[in-house]
Amino acid sequence: MESTKLMSEPSCPFCSMIQSGDVVIDGNLAAVILDGFPVTIGHSLVIPKRREADFSKLSTDEQSEILSLASERMRQLQSEDPSITGFNLGINVGASAGQTVEHAHLHVIPRREGDVEDPRGGVRWVMPSKADYWS
């Protein structure tokens, strides 16, 4: 197993939040923080404590804990807010995929009935010309 020592970068907002203890859920290898630019109320990020930009380069233990914490956060959000009826989960890897912070993270985005006119396709809308496959 890889070292669990926090690899920090002073300019990394996620490292700063972990170091300051500004977390919603604190795990051994990962933590949950609130997104600084939320797209919905409760939008959270699950981040490894070890700074690595590429999710695929995280250890299997890190990846597993990230998924476990995402599930825990989803349950927590739904218990706090019964208007949440679904979630989008997403990971951007690389600038071409939209990654803007070079620290791997999983978005947990709560969804509510009627928050958009037609939610079909979900994450497929990252490629708008391919999203509407049902028409």
Side-chain angles (χ1 to χ4, degrees), residues 3-104:
S3 167
T4 59
K5 182 177 183 230
L6 175 66
M7 294 173 56
S8 65
E9 174 65 41
S11 63
C12 175
F14 300 164
C15 290
S16 296
M17 291 180 82
I18 290 172
Q19 289 177 333
S20 71
D22 194 12
V23 300
V24 178
I25 302 171
D26 195 12
N28 293 323
L29 302 174
V32 179
I33 62 173
L34 295 176
D35 190 282
F37 303 93
V39 297
T40 66
I41 295 169
H43 181 174
S44 304
L45 303 175
V46 188
I47 56 176
K49 291 185 175 181
R50 181 175 66 85
R51 187 165 190 262
E52 168 57 59
D54 187 339
F55 185 84
S56 70
K57 292 181 180 174
L58 296 173
S59 71
T60 55
D61 288 340
E62 289 168 317
Q63 290 177 357
S64 179
E65 186 167 309
I66 287 168
L67 293 175
S68 178
L69 289 178
S71 293
E72 182 177 344
R73 180 61 174 155
M74 291 164 63
R75 288 188 301 273
Q76 182 184 63
L77 285 165
Q78 284 186 306
S79 73
E80 295 170 359
D81 183 351
S83 73
I84 296 171
T85 55
F87 289 90
N88 288 108
L89 301 177
I91 300 171
N92 303 321
V93 181
S96 63
Q99 185 174 6
T100 58
V101 177
E102 292 186 8
H103 189 139

Side-chain angles (χ1 to χ4, degrees), residues 85 112-117:
T85 55
R112 293 157 180 90
E113 193 69 34
D115 61 3
V116 297
E117 187 175 324

